[in-house]
Amino acid sequence: MDLDTSKALPGVVNADAARIRELLHRCAAAFVEDFSPNGGRHIYVPLQDRLTGGEARELVEALAAFAPSLDPSPHQNVTDGCIRVPGSPHKRGGYQTLVTPLSVAYDAMVRRNPSSVVTALRSALAPELRKNRETKVRQAKASSAASGIRKPLASGAVSDSPLRSLARTGVYDVSRYPSASEARMAVLSHFTGCGWSLQQVQSQLSGQFPGLAALYGSPARLERLLSTEWAKAQAWSQKTPSSKAPNRTSRINNTSPPLLTGGAKNSSPAAVQQLVNDLENVLYAVLDYRLKDLGREGLGLRQLIRAILGYMRTKETDLLDIGCRSLAVAVGKHHTTVARLLPVLAAASDGMLTKVADARGRAADAYVIQVPDQYAAIAKELSWRRGKIHGIRPVFRALGDAAALVYEAIERARVSPVSSELIRITGISATAVKKALNEMTALGMIHRDGKQWKITTTASLTQLAIRLGVMDDYQAHINRNRRDRANWHAYLDRFLTPPIPENQIYDEERDDYWIPPDPGIALWAA
């Protein structure tokens, strides 16, 4: 494995090497490591049994998704791709230096690793392997499609913006940022604009964005400067707009839109939380059983009502007055699908969801959510479920609606369920439930204790979504919505005086939304 300083700063290379070492130790793998005078590193994992070129390539490409500074090209063909071994002279002077003690390196090269180590590596890298396979399938489908046909909005076709790449690798455009200081401030200002806190940024310096940490040069400098530069970034982001900016509230017609949406303000937070708990009882006792008979559409409706209840709990409101695009992000579907499902859900909910106002201007259709009178007794008699209700959490964009419902059934069950109970509770076929259980077990999300299924509490769904690549799709979905929303608002504001300059409507990099580590709260703020 070749960790290259041409792909990331030396600090990122060192961090990636530490992550790979930890992974190899976890898989009981023996390895040899060296470093070069320019800061790059090589890690060798000798094997007892030969791997084919395709198998080796698949593993190394999965590791490249795990460690951004890893260059997979030496393993991407069967004829070329040599690297310098320890002791080799370097073109910039000096030699490739062995890091592993000589006796340990000799033992690793002589004994080598059995096939069980490769199996353990494949298990540990299951999210990255799955991500790469699905990406190749999408690319193959895209290449076979007719070039004249316009492709629908698809997941997986996401590339890093220059600013996001900077935060991940630390490599920046010197024509745009004169020094690392300006590059750091650009990233930190973008974080503040997306609603991140300093604690959230610090938590991701060793996770999604090691390049930002590498831009500081040393841990001591990072600790000394980060809080100061964060305060400067916040002050810059909170500056009042220039007086030269056009007045967007001065209209010459009589079609001014209503006030910005965000829910009713009359209900107290405690009353709304209690209402959501009661509505969950109605959902699990009545509505789920009614919707499960509608097949694939029923799965979408069940996720949509869960997203609506999640919105109620987060925003502490009993009025749903957000657009279909926001709900589409919450359920992982296209906004036209949500627009079609909402009236169906209102009709099937038996009074739980009632439309009270039509869309007008910037305001979306408004729905009131309440407990129907005929279900009031059920809502009060049943005990409340533990945990929170969600729409489609990002990781289930890859695993599907059925897996989301199975995971919820395990997560919120009063007693850890067995497989037969999961089939009954979710109303999903035995084949689909078994497939979902196997996939989530392979990814370490759940485990079996005897016959009962339990949540693996150490598994982070957000980190798993990042490793599967769906977090990029999730953020791209939000960015697409923000662009569409900006274009729609600009269309409504077409009678403003003076006109709005095009660069004030939407800027692709400036308005690229980076989701904070708590996506549940960030979702409705995007």
Side-chain angles (χ1 to χ4, degrees):
M1 289 168 277
D2 180 16
L3 304 177
D4 200 338
T5 51
S6 67
K7 294 179 69 68
L9 292 184
V12 179
V13 169
N14 294 335
D16 286 347
R19 293 179 69 198
I20 292 176
R21 283 195 295 270
E22 191 273 334
L23 171 66
L24 294 174
H25 284 310
R26 243 188 310 139
C27 296
F31 60 92
V32 178
E33 182 179 356
D34 66 25
F35 74 90
S36 68
N38 70 346
R41 289 179 178 268
H42 295 152
I43 298 176
Y44 308 85
V45 183
L47 302 175
Q48 293 177 1
D49 301 319
R50 183 184 298 271
L51 286 180
T52 66
E55 291 171 334
R57 174 174 179 164
E58 185 180 51
L59 262 181
V60 173
E61 286 178 344
L63 282 163
F66 178 77
S69 66
L70 194 152
D71 180 9
S73 60
H75 291 81
Q76 289 179 326
N77 61 81
V78 295
T79 59
D80 305 304
C82 296
I83 59 175
R84 285 179 298 273
V85 296
S88 303
H90 195 274
K91 61 183 178 181
R92 295 186 180 178
Y95 295 87
Q96 201 77 18
T97 305
L98 183 67
V99 175
T100 307
L102 182 60
S103 59
V104 177
Y106 179 81
D107 184 69
M109 299 303 292
V110 170
R111 292 176 182 271
R112 300 179 171 266
N113 291 286
S115 57
S116 59
V117 168
V118 178
T119 303
L121 276 172
R122 288 196 177 109
S123 177
L125 294 170
E128 288 79 11
L129 289 168
R130 179 186 178 119
K131 169 190 172 182
N132 289 345
R133 288 168 186 158
E134 291 181 349
T135 299
K136 289 178 181 178
V137 170
R138 285 195 294 265
Q139 290 173 344
K141 289 181 179 179
S143 63
S144 63
S147 59
I149 299 177
R150 184 179 177 182
K151 298 179 181 63
L153 297 173
S155 63
V158 182
S159 59
D160 275 353
S161 67
L163 197 61
R164 188 184 294 275
S165 178
L166 190 163
R168 287 179 171 171
T169 66
V171 178
Y172 59 90
D173 182 358
V174 293
S175 65
R176 188 170 188 180
Y177 307 111
S179 70
S181 176
E182 284 83 0
R184 294 196 304 264
M185 289 303 299
V187 174
L188 292 176
S189 298
H190 200 79
F191 277 131
T192 61
C194 291
W196 287 56
S197 67
L198 178 58
Q199 292 73 24
Q200 290 172 334
V201 172
Q202 290 171 326
S203 71
Q204 295 302 311
L205 292 179
S206 58
Q208 293 186 71
F209 305 114
L212 176 59
L215 286 170
Y216 284 92
S218 67
R221 200 157 182 263
L222 169 65
E223 185 177 358
R224 178 168 58 87
L225 292 178
L226 180 58
S227 57
T228 302
E229 292 187 342
W230 179 257
K232 290 181 180 178
Q234 282 187 313
W236 184 86
S237 298
Q238 293 170 1
K239 281 182 180 177
T240 55
S242 169
S243 59
K244 295 180 181 179
N247 182 2
R248 297 195 177 204
T249 60
S250 175
R251 298 176 178 274
I252 61 174
N253 57 8
N254 60 354
T255 58
S256 299
L259 295 174
L260 294 176
T261 59
K265 304 297 182 185
N266 297 329
S267 301
S268 69
V272 172
Q273 298 295 337
Q274 181 174 337
L275 173 61
V276 174
N277 290 334
D278 290 343
L279 288 168
E280 287 180 10
N281 284 343
V282 177
L283 169 65
Y284 291 125
V286 180
L287 195 55
D288 259 354
Y289 290 95
R290 182 177 298 171
L291 297 178
K292 72 179 182 180
D293 296 328
L294 299 180
R296 184 176 294 275
E297 184 181 61
L299 285 177
L301 292 170
R302 293 168 72 179
Q303 295 299 346
L304 182 56
I305 187 62
R306 282 162 168 78
I308 291 171
L309 295 182
Y311 170 80
M312 287 180 64
R313 192 179 291 283
T314 302
K315 304 296 285 186
E316 296 179 338
T317 175
D318 57 359
L319 180 66
L320 179 72
D321 57 348
I322 56 172
C324 292
R325 283 175 170 80
S326 295
L327 287 171
V329 174
V331 295
K333 303 189 185 305
H334 198 275
H335 63 271
T336 57
T337 302
V338 173
R340 177 177 58 82
L341 291 179
L342 255 180
V344 178
L345 179 62
S349 66
D350 207 5
M352 184 186 294
L353 189 67
T354 306
K355 186 175 180 180
V356 294
D358 291 326
R360 180 172 179 267
R362 296 190 182 192
D365 290 336
Y367 291 82
V368 167
I369 307 127
Q370 58 192 352
V371 176
D373 293 339
Q374 62 269 33
Y375 301 129
I378 294 176
K380 299 299 181 185
E381 289 172 2
L382 297 176
S383 59
W384 294 341
R385 300 287 184 109
R386 61 180 179 180
K388 294 182 179 180
I389 196 165
H390 302 270
I392 287 287
R393 284 172 277 194
V395 68
F396 293 108
R397 286 173 169 246
L399 301 179
D401 291 351
L405 291 173
V406 172
Y407 187 88
E408 180 196 75
I410 300 172
E411 183 181 40
R412 307 200 70 192
R414 296 183 174 92
V415 179
S416 298
V418 299
S419 298
S420 58
E421 290 174 337
L422 288 173
I423 296 170
R424 178 182 57 81
I425 293 169
T426 60
I428 302 171
S429 69
T431 303
V433 169
K434 183 179 179 180
K435 179 183 177 183
L437 291 172
N438 289 339
E439 287 181 339
M440 291 190 289
T441 302
L443 295 173
M445 300 167 62
I446 59 175
H447 63 277
R448 200 165 190 171
D449 185 2
K451 293 185 177 182
Q452 295 178 314
W453 290 98
K454 296 184 178 180
I455 298 296
T456 303
T457 55
T458 55
S460 168
L461 298 189
T462 301
Q463 288 301 316
L464 194 56
I466 293 170
R467 294 178 63 188
L468 286 167
V470 292
M471 211 63 175
D472 291 335
D473 300 331
Y474 184 56
Q475 292 179 140
H477 195 167
I478 290 178
N479 288 332
R480 192 163 59 241
N481 287 350
R482 288 162 67 89
R483 181 173 62 250
D484 292 346
R485 193 177 296 122
N487 291 336
W488 171 242
H489 290 175
Y491 173 77
L492 293 176
D493 293 344
R494 65 195 183 280
F495 297 116
L496 285 179
T497 305
I500 304 172
E502 183 178 352
N503 63 356
Q504 292 190 16
I505 296 174
Y506 185 85
D507 179 85
E508 186 171 353
E509 184 165 288
R510 180 196 65 203
D511 295 326
D512 179 25
Y513 187 72
W514 295 6
I515 299 177
D518 185 355
I521 296 175
L523 167 63
W524 306 112

